[in-house]
Amino acid sequence: MSARRTIVTEPLTREAFAPFGDVLDTSGAADFEINGGDAKRFHDRGHIDCLAPGRAGLSTVFAVGQSLPYEMSMLERHPLGSQAFIPMQAEPWLVTVAPDEGGKPGMPRAFIAAPGQGVNYHRGTWHGVLTPLGTPARFAVVDWIGEGKNLEEYWLEAPKLVVSQPK
Amino acid sequence: MSARRTIVTEPLTREAFAPFGDVLDTSGAADFEINGGDAKRFHDRGHIDCLAPGRAGLSTVFAVGQSLPYEMSMLERHPLGSQAFIPMQAEPWLVTVAPDEGGKPGMPRAFIAAPGQGVNYHRGTWHGVLTPLGTPARFAVVDWIGEGKNLEEYWLEAPKLVVSQPK
């Protein structure tokens, strides 16, 4: 991993996040209308990928708020399944991920999810812990549930510091 | 179905909603802590039940806001899969459901989901269309995706009127 200590946040866009997972939002063109035109559906935007004998399940999480600059000391990944986090309030939150480099996380990237943006990490993607910004926050989670070891943690030798993009 | 025209809203609680589906929220006692104690997980609170050859997928919906009293003229159900709606803003919304009576919806019930409450309709449960209250709203959806007929609609002979519980 790069020795660079500071990570500057980026906006969360579908394109930038594509190597790590799916962005769940209602930006851009909808796929079709439902409910007699009263609603627009953005269809099949996140791929649930949970290996047998486990299954995908619905959970919720309540997490304390963090702030920037944010010190990141650990990344984790789940080899058995994708993992979606859907914010249940319209507040920004921090999404940290890293490419894999030979079984360890490479240089992390940090994305600011705007209000109304969730993510679905691809199976096996290195990511930081859940980090609402500001106040405590609720999330719905769609991830692998079953018997087995679905968690790998990697502690950084030197923590990274996530800082805001200059305005 | 009862000839009663008016449906009075009820608060959305796990117990009251149990015949129709799962409530996804962070009320009550968490199942365990994660992230070194910075977050509490309410584990496996909604059962994803999607029949093969389809699969569960992640979508989003943007829906116009409705208001009470609300006229309800149609219910629908999905025989091939459960369907979860997770609000992406902390606003109340209206959840309408009905028991099945010989292949048709029985007398509907109407629940007010509080901020931070989502639902997961059991497979085959009669329910009304997505009804945010007030402003337009975003939802994440976890439901059956595949080739096949997964929608049954039932139009009421006489619409029902959903009204607020008296304060």
Side-chain angles (χ1 to χ4, degrees):
Chain A
M1 188 185 298
S2 158
R4 183 160 56 84
R5 171 161 159 75
T6 299
I7 302 166
V8 179
T9 60
E10 310 169 52
L12 181 65
T13 65
R14 199 161 295 156
E15 296 69 27
F17 196 66
F20 309 106
D22 311 303
V23 174
L24 304 171
D25 64 13
T26 57
S27 66
D31 294 292
F32 49 86
E33 292 191 340
I34 57 174
N35 300 353
D38 276 354
K40 297 171 193 290
R41 180 160 166 138
F42 300 77
H43 184 66
D44 202 9
R45 296 298 180 98
H47 179 54
I48 298 174
D49 174 19
C50 287
L51 299 188
R55 60 181 170 79
L58 285 157
S59 302
T60 55
V61 171
F62 186 75
V64 305
Q66 306 290 346
S67 57
L68 297 178
Y70 170 75
E71 195 177 80
M72 180 185 189
S73 51
M74 194 270 286
L75 292 102
E76 61 182 45
R77 64 175 175 178
H78 309 295
L80 301 180
S82 55
Q83 188 175 45
F85 288 97
I86 299 154
M88 298 177 82
Q89 55 284 309
E91 301 289 342
W93 58 293
L94 178 67
V95 176
T96 49
V97 289
D100 183 67
E101 288 183 359
K104 297 179 182 177
M107 185 64 193
R109 290 172 70 179
F111 297 91
I112 300 290
Q117 286 191 313
V119 302
N120 180 49
Y121 296 123
H122 292 157
R123 181 165 62 81
T125 299
W126 290 109
H127 61 275
V129 299
L130 190 56
T131 39
L133 293 174
T135 53
R138 302 180 184 101
F139 291 78
V141 181
V142 182
D143 65 358
W144 185 92
I145 290 176
E147 296 294 319
K149 181 167 161 42
N150 190 31
L151 175 64
E152 277 183 67
E153 291 182 337
Y154 186 88
W155 293 81
L156 303 178
E157 284 176 39
K160 302 289 184 186
L161 197 68
V162 180
V163 301
S164 294
Q165 200 171 32
K167 304 270 180 193
Chain B
M1 187 185 298
S2 158
R4 184 160 56 84
R5 172 161 158 73
T6 299
I7 301 165
V8 179
T9 60
E10 309 168 53
L12 181 65
T13 65
R14 199 162 295 156
E15 295 69 27
F17 196 67
F20 309 105
D22 310 304
V23 174
L24 305 171
D25 64 14
T26 57
S27 67
D31 294 293
F32 49 86
E33 292 191 340
I34 57 174
N35 300 351
D38 276 354
K40 295 171 194 290
R41 180 160 167 138
F42 301 76
H43 184 66
D44 201 11
R45 297 296 180 100
H47 178 54
I48 298 174
D49 174 18
C50 289
L51 299 188
R55 60 181 169 79
L58 285 158
S59 302
T60 55
V61 170
F62 185 76
V64 303
Q66 307 289 346
S67 57
L68 296 179
Y70 171 75
E71 195 177 81
M72 181 187 189
S73 51
M74 194 269 286
L75 292 103
E76 62 182 45
R77 64 176 176 177
H78 308 295
L80 301 180
S82 56
Q83 188 175 45
F85 288 97
I86 299 153
M88 299 177 80
Q89 55 285 308
E91 300 290 342
W93 58 294
L94 178 67
V95 177
T96 49
V97 289
D100 184 66
E101 288 184 359
K104 297 179 182 178
M107 184 65 194
R109 290 172 68 178
F111 296 90
I112 300 290
Q117 286 191 312
V119 301
N120 179 50
Y121 297 124
H122 292 158
R123 182 165 62 81
T125 299
W126 292 109
H127 61 276
V129 299
L130 191 56
T131 39
L133 293 175
T135 52
R138 303 180 183 101
F139 292 78
V141 182
V142 182
D143 65 358
W144 185 92
I145 290 176
E147 296 294 320
K149 181 168 161 39
N150 190 29
L151 175 63
E152 277 183 68
E153 292 182 336
Y154 185 88
W155 293 82
L156 302 178
E157 283 175 40
K160 302 289 185 188
L161 197 69
V162 178
V163 301
S164 293
Q165 200 170 32
K167 304 270 179 197

